Amino acid sequence: MFSGFMLNAWESGTLVAVVAGIVGFFVVLRGSAFPAHAIPNGAFAGAAGANLIGVNPLLGLGLFSLLAALGIGTWGRKGRPDVVTALALVLMLALGAAFLSQSSAYEPEIYALLFGEILGVSSAQIVPLVALGFVCAIAIAVLYRPLLETSLMPDVAAAHGVNTTAVDTAFLIVVAMATTMTVPVVGALLIFTLMMGPPAAARSLSRRPSLALGLSVVIAVAVMWAAIASAYQWNWPVGFFVGTYSAVAYAIARGVSFRPRTRTRTLYTAHTH
Amino acid sequence: MKFLFAPGFTSSEPVHVALALGAMVAIVSALVGVFTVVRSQSFAGHALTDVAIAGGAGAGYLGVNALTGFVLGSLTGGVAMETIGVHRVRSRDVATGIVLGAATGCSALFFYLEANSGSTTGSTQRILFGSLFEVAPGTLPVVGLLGVVTVAALALIGRALLLSSVSPEMATVGGIATRSVGVIFMMTLAISVGLSSVAIGAILSTALLIGPAASALRVARTIRGAMVLACILGVVATSLGVLLAYDSYNWTSRHSPLPVSFFVVVIVVTTYALTYVPFLRRRATSGRS
């Protein structure tokens, strides 16, 4: 279980989980689940396009996820963000479908782009993974305070003169980077799962941001390790285990943290999101 | 004419089926879509498509009709999201995300199992991106029936739904059970997603749901007007998509046609972008964008 190609799987899986735990924490905090779902799908189109013209898929992944991030960031402010995100998402996917229809990529390749092939990660793929992971971590470290302030206390952020728009865009770019590095490993659809389940679980366990962030990383890594081990054991796709274990982690966290809270009921208004 | 309509377009049966199915699905999606956009539930609408994929993939593995899988899948997803808490704005994002994530995990498994069982090839692509030209004619009545049920349900709850979307306080005062109305809407949303998954593929059904509705809402003055306009835009987009996809067979020397869903999405997104052109938007009333 810990030899040869499996070693690559463990290493890349852990890296992906750490990055997903960190970036995902802010995704949950800021309520940007939809963009975080849309960007990896854009990346999928990029990979399909790169495949078609025969360049390095990382290039296509990077370019398209960046385009998706900037597009959602810019247009989202002009219209309704959720509508713009949805349309950007389907446009990217449609491009991906068109690229696929023109290329000779066959089933397993499409499957791998969408659902990942962590057990097939080569040593050469780990280098860009480490590099991009570092950049993401540094970017989050730099943005930490403004990100927290604009997510949790918008008024305070405004008083401090934080440029919300800039922070928003910067964050989406970080998501795009995290996506670029993770899609080849866990696939476009599942990176989102890792950015959602563990951080949401961590958030319901602790209200303190720093503690929740740490927990988020720990849970993400635990989910990833358990998933790899299970995939090795039962020979089912890693993605299935990542998905189920993430949901289970969230369910357990919600169960543990269930206590009567005095909470003012938020009104269900059409224009909040 | 020959340039516009490639030979055989008007006489081909798959084209007729595609046009009819496309129009039905476009109308149902557009009507449901108007409410989805007004309620800002685009993410939920999209997440349901991912659950529908899991259903479609599962159906493929079990050898059941894909439509059954799509509809059952997205209905289950809708119930799950409601249970976890889509009705509360704060936890809506997370609830949707968790269900979506778990569903994609299941899709991964079903696709894998199906590929391993050595049945039909190309199912991943077909379920995700659809192929309107390969729909069996027998699917039409089923889609039609489900479409009528959805629209009827929508007509019944329409007024209450609108009020509880725009002003929940007023709705509560007016004696509307906002929660139940929300649940029923979620079910209609789930069915319409299941239907459009058959037509343009699960991943892209969001385009038909959100695109025409959002464009119409930007241009029309009233909700009723927006619904009519959204239906027209949707039907035009799918019909044009079918036509272009059919023609695209002759565009390259290799004769590899582009998928219908690609054209539908491009048309839908272009339409939405056009609503931002100031001249076209002049008639719009202020505010709601």
Side-chain angles (χ1 to χ4, degrees):
Chain A
M1 198 193 251
F2 297 97
S3 61
F5 71 98
M6 282 307 288
L7 209 58
N8 286 340
W10 288 108
E11 284 172 10
S12 51
T14 312
L15 274 166
V16 167
V18 170
V19 171
I22 297 174
V23 177
F25 173 72
F26 290 99
V27 169
V28 170
L29 201 62
R30 302 172 70 78
S32 29
F34 200 12
H37 177 67
I39 292 171
N41 282 306
F44 158 74
N51 201 349
L52 180 63
I53 57 172
V55 296
N56 188 341
L58 265 186
L59 220 65
L61 286 169
L63 184 69
F64 268 65
S65 50
L66 204 61
L67 275 179
L70 292 177
I72 293 168
T74 319
W75 284 85
R77 277 191 298 280
K78 292 195 178 150
R80 306 175 69 115
D82 63 331
V83 166
V84 171
T85 311
L87 292 179
L89 163 62
V90 287
L91 184 61
M92 291 290 197
L93 282 173
L95 280 175
F99 292 151
L100 285 178
S101 78
Q102 297 304 302
S103 76
S104 51
Y106 44 104
E107 197 80 3
E109 291 177 26
I110 303 166
Y111 183 87
L113 277 178
L114 287 169
F115 301 107
E117 47 175 359
I118 198 166
L119 301 185
V121 176
S122 67
S123 305
Q125 277 177 295
I126 296 190
V127 182
L129 205 59
V130 173
L132 279 169
F134 253 117
V135 178
C136 279
I138 291 169
I140 289 284
V142 173
L143 288 170
Y144 185 73
R145 195 129 276 285
L147 271 179
L148 273 187
E149 279 183 0
T150 48
S151 325
L152 294 175
M153 303 166 286
D155 318 345
V156 178
H160 282 183
V162 177
N163 182 344
T164 319
T165 323
V167 173
D168 268 342
T169 311
F171 179 66
L172 286 177
I173 292 173
V174 173
V175 174
M177 270 194 298
T179 302
T180 309
M181 64 171 277
T182 49
V183 164
V185 182
V186 285
L189 292 172
L190 284 162
I191 178 55
F192 170 75
T193 314
L194 263 186
M195 284 201 215
M196 214 57 221
R203 273 274 284 166
S204 47
L205 286 177
S206 168
R207 291 273 139 193
R208 261 183 48 208
S210 51
L211 183 60
L213 179 58
L215 271 175
S216 163
V217 173
V218 170
I219 298 173
V221 171
V223 164
M224 187 50 121
W225 283 354
I228 296 179
S230 312
Y232 182 84
Q233 191 66 34
W234 290 297
N235 206 18
W236 275 5
V238 177
F240 170 68
F241 294 108
V242 171
T244 10
Y245 293 167
S246 294
V248 168
Y250 175 70
I252 293 175
R254 278 282 293 264
V256 169
S257 68
F258 188 77
R259 50 179 184 260
R261 280 200 209 108
T262 44
R263 179 170 54 190
T264 45
R265 236 189 108 93
T266 338
L267 276 175
Y268 190 0
T269 43
H271 289 276
T272 36
H273 57 97
Chain B
M1 259 347 223
K2 215 171 177 187
F3 172 72
L4 195 59
F5 297 99
F9 182 78
T10 42
S11 59
S12 148
E13 190 183 347
V15 169
H16 295 163
V17 175
L19 285 173
L21 186 74
M24 282 197 273
V25 165
I27 290 172
V28 176
S29 298
L31 293 175
V32 177
V34 168
F35 291 99
T36 313
V37 174
V38 169
R39 293 170 68 83
S40 293
Q41 283 192 322
S42 303
F43 187 29
H46 175 74
L48 283 178
T49 65
D50 284 288
V51 191
I53 293 172
Y61 173 58
L62 296 172
V64 192
N65 179 327
L67 178 62
T68 318
F70 282 138
V71 173
L72 285 184
S74 61
L75 275 175
T76 317
V79 171
M81 283 185 231
E82 273 295 333
T83 317
I84 305 183
V86 230
H87 51 285
R88 286 191 302 271
V89 172
R90 282 180 62 83
S91 57
R92 207 203 263 178
D93 221 36
V94 168
T96 314
I98 298 283
V99 172
L100 203 173
T104 31
C106 293
S107 313
L109 178 65
F110 292 141
F111 281 132
Y112 170 83
L113 288 177
E114 195 191 345
N116 270 24
S117 69
S119 61
T120 48
T121 48
S123 63
T124 311
Q125 203 165 352
R126 194 185 61 243
I127 287 175
L128 294 178
F129 302 113
S131 51
L132 204 44
F133 287 130
E134 286 168 29
V135 176
T139 325
L140 276 177
V142 187
V143 171
L145 187 71
L146 281 173
V148 169
V149 171
T150 315
V151 174
L154 213 53
L156 277 178
I157 60 164
R159 193 157 286 278
L161 182 64
L162 208 57
L163 190 59
S164 65
S165 314
V166 178
S167 165
E169 302 93 328
M170 282 246 300
T172 317
V173 172
I176 292 169
T178 43
R179 181 79 201 274
S180 318
V181 169
V183 174
I184 297 174
F185 176 65
M186 201 68 176
M187 300 295 106
T188 61
L189 182 58
I191 295 178
S192 89
V193 163
L195 295 182
S196 54
S197 299
V198 180
I200 66 167
I203 284 192
L204 295 172
S205 64
T206 309
L208 274 186
L209 183 72
I210 305 300
S215 312
L217 279 169
R218 283 183 61 83
V219 176
R221 285 164 194 267
T222 59
I223 288 286
R224 205 177 290 264
M227 288 169 109
V228 174
L229 186 56
C231 288
I232 296 171
L233 289 177
V235 172
V236 169
T238 44
S239 313
L240 259 181
V242 169
L243 174 65
L244 289 171
Y246 188 83
D247 287 356
S248 72
Y249 180 77
N250 293 322
W251 289 357
T252 56
S253 51
R254 283 188 299 135
H255 289 302
S256 50
L258 288 159
V260 181
S261 34
F262 167 70
F263 290 108
V264 174
V265 171
V266 169
I267 295 165
V268 155
V269 174
T270 312
T271 313
Y272 182 71
L274 280 178
T275 62
Y276 278 89
V277 178
F279 173 73
L280 293 168
R281 209 177 132 53
R282 202 169 52 191
R283 289 187 48 215
T285 43
S286 63
R288 189 198 299 290
S289 55

